[in-house]
Amino acid sequence: MKKHNFSAGPSILAPEVIENTAKAVRDLNGIGLSIMEISHRGKDFQAVIDETVALFKEILEIPEGYHVLFLGGGASMQFCMIPYNLLAFKAAYLETGSWAKKAIKEAKLFGNVEVVGSSADKNYNYIPRGYVIPEDADYFHVTTNNTIFGTEIKEDLDSPVPLIADMSSDIFSRPMDVSKYGVIYGGAQKNLGPAGVTFVIIKEELLGKVSRQIPTMIDYRTHIEKESMFNTPPCLPIYTCMETLRWIKKLGGLEKMKQRNDEKAKIIYDEIDRNSMFVGSAEEASRSIMNACFVMKPDYKDLEKDFLEFATQNNIVGIKGHRSVGGFRASIYNAMSIDSVKVLVDIMKKFEKKHAK
Ligand SMILES: *Cc1c(COP(=O)(O)O)cnc(C)c1O
């Protein structure tokens, strides 16, 4: 029996995406070869990457002047590629969690970093407000969804300098205005596909402004010029991303994704707030629609293990919270069904009936 997969990443994919990928692994479009055993330079793979780029552009309504790249190295590689290519003098960063901190650490290797706002004082349980973005920064970097802490910047920010966003865990979760960003990047394994491919949406005019030497593989211009084919791209993960994008389009695009995601988030947060045993980890206004983090109230702390066990018995997996927050985290990415969220809510209710004082 298929489990209810609330894992934070790599995470749930739509059943038909997995089914269609399995077919392509056996035989791609009836050509008698697997997607895994064909040249990335042949026409069959070219069609896959072309369609994936086209679907990115169509679904996100990416304007002219941007390129869509598929690279290796994970979102973590972008933490260094961004400053390597774009940081000439000073960059501004918003410190909203572990991933933001890692991005800041890399940027400091390449220039001055101004952390304009931080929620470290409350273990990153909110999105900082009222900060000022310096106009002389080369760019402003944010993590839109903080996968570990369950907070999210749910709108496209205004920035006087190019806005750069790590959207690893909320890309394609809502309609957005790409024109407000200079770079959007992320690992595929949260909301798009399997691990192994990183997407980068980049505005070409930002490049070529730093004076340092850039190694060929680190230079975005290499990958723009060769259309992600300078070296062998992660062919199979790209194929699965294409299937996910077909699925998103078929379901009705980003408006539909947002509607579904808002509905799922409401169901789970309503229960967290109602249930006498649990409490949400993130401040209400900052809550993520992708990762709902919650803990047991102090009176019930010793029952955390029992709840995890009860969840497991009911076919629910992946809800153990990250060690830096503790408690539980229900990741409810695009592919998560409303029915699975209802199953989780149901066991929270049953657990309360059994154990509440
Ligand atoms: C998972 C995650 C990362 C790290 O991605 P890798 O592909 O493992 O490098 C970075 N940022 C965010 C927001 C994430 O959720």
Side-chain angles (χ1 to χ4, degrees), residues 34-331:
S34 165
I35 176 74
M36 297 190 296
E37 56 179 3
I38 57 172
S39 168
H40 58 294
R41 310 223 179 260
K43 69 172 180 1
D44 293 304
F45 184 71
Q46 189 66 50
V48 169
I49 196 162
D50 286 349
E51 182 176 342
T52 315
V53 170
L55 284 167
F56 255 83
K57 290 185 173 171
E58 181 186 342
I59 295 170
L60 289 170
E61 298 178 40
I62 300 175
E64 289 293 308
Y66 289 78
H67 295 272
V68 180
L69 306 175
F70 300 104
L71 308 176
S76 301
M77 187 70 191
Q78 297 308 309
F79 297 164
C80 105
M81 274 179 81
I82 296 283
Y84 219 130
N85 284 268
L86 302 174
L87 175 46
F89 170 64
K90 179 168 103 176
Y93 277 72
L94 193 62
E95 191 193 39
T96 52
S98 313
W99 299 117
K101 255 168 74 177
K102 286 183 172 164
I104 290 166
K105 176 169 178 261
E106 297 305 301
K108 283 181 173 166
L109 300 172
F110 299 97
N112 299 318
V113 173
E114 189 175 326
V115 176
V116 298
S118 171
S119 46
D121 59 333
K122 290 187 174 168
N123 199 29
Y124 303 110
N125 78 349
Y126 68 101
I127 299 292
R129 282 171 281 265
Y131 52 83
V132 178
I133 306 163
E135 301 211 5
D136 61 345
D138 296 313
Y139 61 82
F140 174 46
H141 180 282
V142 296
T143 313
T144 49
N145 187 62
N146 298 282
T147 323
I148 292 174
F149 298 94
T151 65
E152 186 176 11
I153 299 169
K154 294 188 276 284
E155 69 278 314
D156 303 311
L157 300 174
D158 294 311
S159 169
V161 297
L163 180 61
I164 297 187
D166 174 357
M167 290 201 180
S168 292
S169 51
D170 62 349
I171 188 76
F172 293 108
S173 67
R174 61 170 174 88
M176 56 177 289
D177 181 356
V178 174
S179 73
K180 293 183 102 175
Y181 298 83
V183 184
I184 299 167
Y185 68 90
Q189 70 273 19
K190 311 290 169 45
N191 216 8
L192 192 56
V197 64
T198 310
F199 66 86
V200 178
I201 302 164
I202 187 162
K203 199 175 190 178
E204 188 165 9
E205 68 177 39
L206 301 182
L207 297 168
K209 295 186 181 164
V210 295
S211 55
R212 72 177 62 87
Q213 298 254 17
I214 307 176
T216 311
M217 273 294 286
I218 305 289
D219 193 333
Y220 288 119
R221 290 169 300 184
T222 304
H223 302 291
I224 290 174
E225 190 192 331
K226 300 293 182 190
E227 300 184 329
S228 304
M229 298 269 211
F230 173 74
N231 67 321
T232 318
C235 300
L236 178 59
I238 291 171
Y239 181 88
T240 308
C241 292
M242 179 191 76
E243 286 290 350
T244 296
L245 296 175
R246 283 178 175 173
W247 173 81
I248 291 174
K249 187 177 164 182
K250 198 174 83 182
L251 247 66
L254 298 181
E255 286 291 348
K256 183 68 188 179
M257 286 299 132
K258 178 172 161 44
Q259 185 200 323
R260 263 168 61 102
N261 291 331
D262 284 347
E263 188 179 344
K264 288 180 286 180
K266 183 169 173 13
I267 293 170
I268 180 79
Y269 284 121
D270 278 355
E271 176 59 18
I272 292 168
D273 292 341
R274 185 210 62 77
N275 196 301
S276 62
M277 299 184 76
F278 300 98
V279 60
S281 314
E283 172 205 83
E284 214 172 314
S286 301
R287 281 174 167 178
S288 165
I289 60 160
M290 297 275 96
N291 312 92
C293 295
F294 54 106
V295 295
M296 231 119 209
K297 283 185 181 161
D299 277 1
Y300 299 109
K301 273 278 178 236
D302 54 328
L303 287 175
E304 284 197 348
K305 258 202 172 116
D306 297 76
F307 180 67
L308 278 177
E309 214 158 273
F310 187 54
T312 309
Q313 285 161 11
N314 285 277
N315 264 320
I316 289 172
V317 296
I319 60 159
K320 193 176 191 323
H322 191 273
R323 61 191 178 278
S324 52
V325 186
F328 315 100
R329 168 174 51 176
S331 297

